[in-house]
Amino acid sequence: MIDNLAAAASADPFSADQDPDSLQGHFQPGVTPDEIEGVFRLKRAQPVMQAFTALFHGGGDAVTVRLLVLRELASDTSASGFTRPDINTRLAYLQPESLETVLTRLRSHGLLAWDAQAGVYRVTPMARNVLSALDTLLAMGQADDEAEMGFLLSQVAGAQAVGGVTVDQLKHLLGRLVDLTEEFRDAIASGSEFRLRTSQAKWHLACDWVEKGSEILRAITTDEKADAATHKAAQAIGRAQSALLNMQGMFSRALNQIERQRVHLGQSGLSTTDIKRWLLAHENLCALAEGAIDRPVVPLFVTPAEMIDVAETELLAERAGAAGPGSLPQGQDAPTTVNEVTATQVELDTWLARLSDFANIGVFPAVGEEAPKAVPIQDSLLPASFAVASYRASLLPLLGDAAEASLQGATAELARLPIQLAVEDELVPLDDPHVACVSRATLSIDPESAKPNE
């Protein structure tokens, strides 16, 4: 990471050694850099930018030595100042010329301050802020954070704790959530089991960070002192988190589809996935062929006497049925197969037709034509046995599911029906011989989904 920052700083066209007026050369004619808000903010932060330039300008080795010296001095809290002999003793493993060059650079850029009256060097507040930011970034980079949300969320949490969270910090976190959502959707669309399982593990880590950040976002949205832009960014993060959490069902359906299509190798119990996982565990696949392949042809040398004996035997042997059949065999009718429809499929088709009637006329046949267009859930589930009613209830969450609606089949038709489900946390007793009570819920026509059909 230090080498990358150093390389970027050495290739930066906006070097501190250049003329400030050269900034105009990077913009179109007629455009003044000072009129751009982003340029104004960066110019206002010139002291911080110069501090980072002092540390990361040049090669990676020079950057490492500068950070080493500054961190060694900042980590000593026993004294507020360091004399030159103290610094020489503490950093005796460095060459005197290199140490002198580093101290001069840090002092000229305001990371070290020279107190002439006391004759000591002091670490400036700016240097401590820079080191604190770098330590947080380095610590988060070494942690097991495949979702790469820890550092962004820590910045938002720290800023919220001191009342200084900015819209830019929230937008960085929002951008990472959007990137993760797109990454997971691409993994689901790929149909690769290994990519799906890897993304699902990463999704679980991201959800852990989402749970940690929910309280922070709740505090931001309820803060009366926050401006409208901050509230808007926090609400956008909340919606992005909800979209991320709702992907669990998409992962499960994709993995179940792969499980149904899995190919097993005979009666061994092994599948193609097991073979692929075993092959991926070997770094050198070519080594598996060592000793397994022999010479394809092994020559056999015989004398003329043995060759004559074999030839006489073949010539004198009786060839039974050498002529073979003179006509093609008679054709046979293909075996008759019966396409058996399972009872579950019949029940699904029947209930789907019943829900379709409700979507068209707004009532169920058992309720009557005078019924309203919002009916209790028991009118759609009953009358039926407990098993059938339970099966119907398990399909209700598919109503309005966009992921399921994009597929093919009866469940996809169910998801595309313009019906919405509203469930309450309460049980309703029933006068039914099979079902004693159900959750209070209603089915109603979704006006937004029904518009295209009008």
Side-chain angles (χ1 to χ4, degrees):
M1 181 180 297
I2 292 175
D3 292 341
N4 294 336
L5 291 173
S10 61
D12 188 4
F14 305 102
S15 176
D17 299 334
Q18 295 181 356
D19 186 359
D21 295 336
S22 64
L23 180 62
Q24 179 65 53
H26 297 275
F27 291 84
Q28 295 288 349
V31 178
T32 303
D34 294 336
E35 297 177 353
I36 300 176
E37 183 181 359
V39 176
F40 170 74
R41 292 183 178 179
L42 292 175
K43 282 191 172 183
R44 188 174 57 181
Q46 280 296 328
V48 180
M49 295 174 60
Q50 291 177 359
F52 279 99
T53 301
L55 288 174
F56 295 104
H57 182 74
D61 295 338
V63 172
T64 301
V65 175
R66 293 171 199 157
L67 287 175
L68 176 64
V69 172
L70 190 58
R71 294 184 69 179
E72 283 286 346
L73 297 179
S75 62
D76 189 355
T77 58
S78 60
S80 60
F82 307 92
T83 63
R84 185 54 190 271
D86 293 338
I87 295 176
N88 293 338
T89 302
R90 188 177 185 86
L91 300 169
Y93 47 82
L94 294 177
Q95 292 287 346
E97 296 81 6
S98 299
L99 180 58
E100 179 64 29
T101 302
V102 171
L103 292 177
T104 302
R105 184 175 183 85
L106 297 179
R107 177 182 173 183
S108 61
H109 287 81
L111 296 174
L112 286 179
W114 170 252
D115 188 348
Q117 184 175 0
V120 295
Y121 284 94
R122 302 186 189 277
V123 180
T124 63
M126 176 64 69
R128 296 191 183 277
N129 291 338
V130 171
L131 289 177
S132 177
L134 289 175
D135 289 340
T136 304
L137 181 59
L138 293 175
M140 290 296 177
Q142 296 173 356
D144 187 12
D145 181 17
E146 295 183 3
E148 298 178 357
M149 290 178 56
F151 177 73
L152 297 175
L153 190 59
S154 66
Q155 296 298 303
V156 175
Q160 173 63 21
V162 298
V165 64
T166 63
V167 177
D168 290 338
Q169 290 173 327
L170 295 177
K171 287 183 177 180
H172 292 322
L173 180 58
L174 175 61
R176 184 55 188 157
L177 290 171
V178 174
D179 293 341
L180 285 174
T181 303
E182 292 298 327
E183 178 183 343
F184 296 149
R185 285 177 178 169
D186 291 342
I188 294 172
S190 68
S192 171
E193 180 182 5
F194 288 87
R195 186 175 175 184
L196 274 170
R197 295 195 181 279
T198 302
S199 297
Q200 190 179 38
K202 191 173 183 179
W203 177 85
H204 284 294
L205 293 176
C207 289
D208 293 339
W209 287 113
V210 168
E211 292 179 1
K212 296 177 181 179
S214 297
E215 296 183 0
I216 302 173
L217 293 177
R218 192 178 299 111
I220 295 175
T221 54
T222 56
D223 188 3
E224 297 179 354
K225 298 180 180 179
D227 55 11
T230 303
H231 278 284
K232 184 178 180 180
Q235 292 171 359
I237 292 176
R239 290 190 294 269
Q241 287 181 341
S242 299
L244 195 66
L245 295 175
N246 289 334
M247 301 190 74
Q248 174 61 24
M250 300 173 65
F251 275 113
S252 299
R253 282 192 292 271
L255 290 173
N256 290 337
Q257 183 69 18
I258 292 176
E259 186 67 28
R260 288 194 296 268
Q261 298 175 353
R262 192 185 305 277
V263 178
H264 291 272
L265 305 179
Q267 303 297 326
S268 63
L270 297 176
S271 66
T272 53
T273 302
D274 299 325
I275 301 300
K276 183 176 181 179
R277 186 180 293 109
W278 183 79
L279 291 174
L280 290 175
H282 294 77
E283 297 181 358
N284 186 10
L285 293 179
C286 297
L288 298 177
E290 295 180 359
I293 300 178
D294 201 354
R295 291 176 298 176
V297 178
V298 179
L300 179 63
F301 299 96
V302 295
T303 61
E306 283 83 5
M307 296 175 65
I308 294 175
D309 291 341
V310 173
E312 289 179 349
T313 303
E314 292 293 331
L315 289 174
L316 299 178
E318 295 183 359
R319 302 293 182 180
S327 61
L328 296 175
Q330 297 294 328
Q332 297 181 356
D333 295 334
T336 303
T337 59
V338 179
N339 186 14
E340 298 182 356
V341 181
T342 62
T344 303
Q345 183 65 39
V346 174
E347 176 58 36
L348 176 58
D349 294 339
T350 303
W351 192 55
L352 181 60
R354 190 178 183 191
L355 289 178
S356 299
D357 293 339
F358 170 69
N360 293 329
I361 64 176
V363 296
F364 287 106
V367 179
E369 295 295 336
E370 71 282 357
K373 291 190 176 181
V375 297
I377 192 63
Q378 56 267 27
D379 291 344
S380 67
L381 302 179
L382 303 174
S385 64
F386 177 78
V388 173
S390 300
Y391 174 67
R392 292 175 177 177
S394 66
L395 296 175
L396 287 175
L398 293 177
L399 290 172
D401 191 325
E404 185 68 26
S406 63
L407 303 178
Q408 300 293 330
T411 55
E413 296 180 10
L414 175 65
R416 288 192 289 267
L417 289 176
I419 302 176
Q420 59 184 4
L421 173 67
V423 184
E424 301 179 11
D425 190 11
E426 183 181 354
L427 292 178
V428 178
L430 301 177
D431 185 12
D432 187 85
H434 301 287
V435 181
C437 59
V438 296
S439 299
R440 184 181 297 277
T442 57
L443 289 179
S444 60
I445 304 299
D446 186 0
E448 296 295 332
S449 300
K451 284 181 179 180
N453 296 329
E454 294 179 354

